[in-house]
Amino acid sequence: MKNRIILTAALIAISVSNSWADVVVTTDGSRLTGTITLIDKGVIHLETAYAGTLKISQEMVETFETEEPIVVRLDSGTVMSGPVKSSGSKKLKIQSSDGVLETDTAKIATSWSPDAEDPEVVRNRRQWKYQASLDLNGKSGNTEKFNFGTQLEAKLEGPNDTLSFFAEYEQGEEEGNKTDDNAEIGGSYQSFFSEKLGWYIGTSAETDGINDIDFRSTSAAGLSYRLINKDHQKLVARSGLGYRYTAFGADADDESTATLDFGLNHTYKYKDIFEMENDLTYTPSIDDFGVYTAVHDSGIELPVGSGKNWKIRLGVKNEYESEPAAEEKLDTTYYTRMIYSWD
């Protein structure tokens, strides 16, 4: 009986060893076993049976080995496919059908499984992304209040350019009186021809029954400047020239003016926990800088559940018009938005 137990334990140990055959040795001597699924941007992804997927900084890795072939791209651009073996401190041997290549651990730029794609190729590919969202708020009792808003967005995004389209509608009532009644559609394109500099063009059309706007079109084009361009954080400033046309209701004359266009967009993502976005636009009239509109929108997005499709956004939007057709110059909206996104 005792021999059977020992034999069973040995078979389990051999099975686990065969299933998780890759080994990562860190600079402090730790030996981690599992399956290396990806090396990208200085991080080794090791899938384990005991702790899920571990993400290990490549700087903290002394060496590693793989049982099965993997595709490796070095910093020099050389690409080879085969099992990787350790050949000493910080030294590796890639054993391909064309021969053996010896290199340093630090010179591995990227690695992926043979049935996958080079992550750099995937990263540089343009991809459509879609998003639909809904705001719905109500209150009954001492105050009867209702607010409904919906937004649709489509983006074709690459590492250096973005083509986007959007449509949104908002309607609200309080005590039987309309507080919101506006709709807007638009599109924009932004492209960077260097690490920092780029250009943009955009246009939108809107109606607003509360502010007595029958139709307003706004267009602008100019230069963009990337102040921060990291995976988790981006800050882009823009400045250019624009044109705004507004057709008011029966009690006001139509207006058209050339404008300046200034904007600032900031996004920050913290792991998979939350994403924050701040957007500011300022468009003064060229004829009179005292006539301007300013729009500020800040929000934080949190994932809902374990998937990546559903999110909830908490935010505030301020719209200021120096010479509005309605009485109020500042319109502030606090919103909670349910978002569904897909590729």
Side-chain angles (χ1 to χ4, degrees), residues 88-313:
S89 177
K90 296 285 186 179
K91 295 292 183 181
L92 300 172
K93 282 184 178 180
I94 305 169
Q95 301 171 327
S96 75
S97 57
D98 297 325
V100 177
L101 175 67
E102 188 166 358
T103 186
D104 296 337
T105 305
K107 292 183 179 179
I108 303 291
T110 309
S111 176
W112 62 96
S113 61
D115 58 346
E117 287 187 273
D118 184 338
E120 191 66 26
V121 173
V122 175
R123 204 164 23 244
N124 289 327
R125 181 183 297 146
R126 287 178 175 177
Q127 184 177 6
W128 279 105
K129 296 181 180 179
Y130 306 93
Q131 182 172 285
S133 58
L134 179 68
D135 313 339
L136 187 62
N137 299 291
K139 185 178 181 182
S140 62
N142 294 327
T143 302
E144 295 292 335
K145 190 174 182 180
F146 171 79
N147 184 271
F148 168 80
T150 183
Q151 299 83 27
L152 297 172
E153 186 178 64
K155 283 186 178 182
L156 178 60
E157 198 166 9
N160 290 307
D161 68 339
T162 303
L163 173 67
S164 64
F165 302 96
F166 74 91
E168 59 182 50
Y169 175 73
E170 185 178 13
Q171 181 176 319
E173 290 186 4
E174 185 172 358
E175 300 295 343
N177 299 314
K178 278 193 174 182
T179 56
D180 297 285
D181 183 16
N182 57 77
E184 186 176 4
I185 60 172
S188 64
Y189 179 71
Q190 182 170 245
S191 177
F192 288 90
F193 47 81
S194 72
E195 181 63 27
K196 298 288 186 181
L197 270 177
W199 62 276
Y200 73 94
I201 185 170
T203 186
S204 65
E206 63 179 302
T207 63
D208 191 333
I210 302 302
N211 290 315
D212 202 29
I213 298 173
D214 287 346
F215 175 78
R216 169 177 284 167
S217 66
T218 305
S219 301
L223 294 176
S224 300
Y225 188 79
R226 283 194 285 212
L227 300 169
I228 301 175
N229 185 30
K230 299 179 180 179
D231 288 341
H232 71 286
Q233 182 175 208
K234 298 183 187 298
L235 178 61
V236 178
R238 72 173 191 270
S239 62
L241 298 174
Y243 182 80
R244 183 171 63 240
Y245 170 78
T246 306
F248 293 103
D251 298 332
D253 295 331
D254 297 345
E255 291 181 355
S256 60
T257 181
T259 65
L260 297 175
D261 181 71
F262 301 102
L264 196 64
N265 179 264
H266 174 250
T267 58
Y268 179 83
K269 185 174 183 179
Y270 181 71
K271 299 181 179 179
D272 292 326
I273 299 175
F274 72 86
E275 184 172 354
M276 180 177 62
E277 182 176 10
N278 302 288
D279 192 78
L280 179 63
T281 301
Y282 172 62
T283 54
S285 169
I286 291 178
D287 296 333
D288 183 358
F289 276 30
V291 179
Y292 63 90
T293 61
V295 180
H296 156 256
D297 192 342
S298 289
I300 183 169
E301 293 181 1
L302 304 168
V304 177
S306 58
K308 295 184 178 181
N309 296 104
W310 287 101
K311 295 180 289 185
I312 189 168
R313 179 180 173 110

Side-chain angles (χ1 to χ4, degrees), residues 20 35 37-38 44-56:
W20 304 97
T35 299
T37 58
L38 177 69
I44 297 179
H45 298 243
L46 182 71
E47 188 175 342
T48 70
Y50 48 86
T53 300
L54 301 178
K55 296 182 180 180
I56 311 156

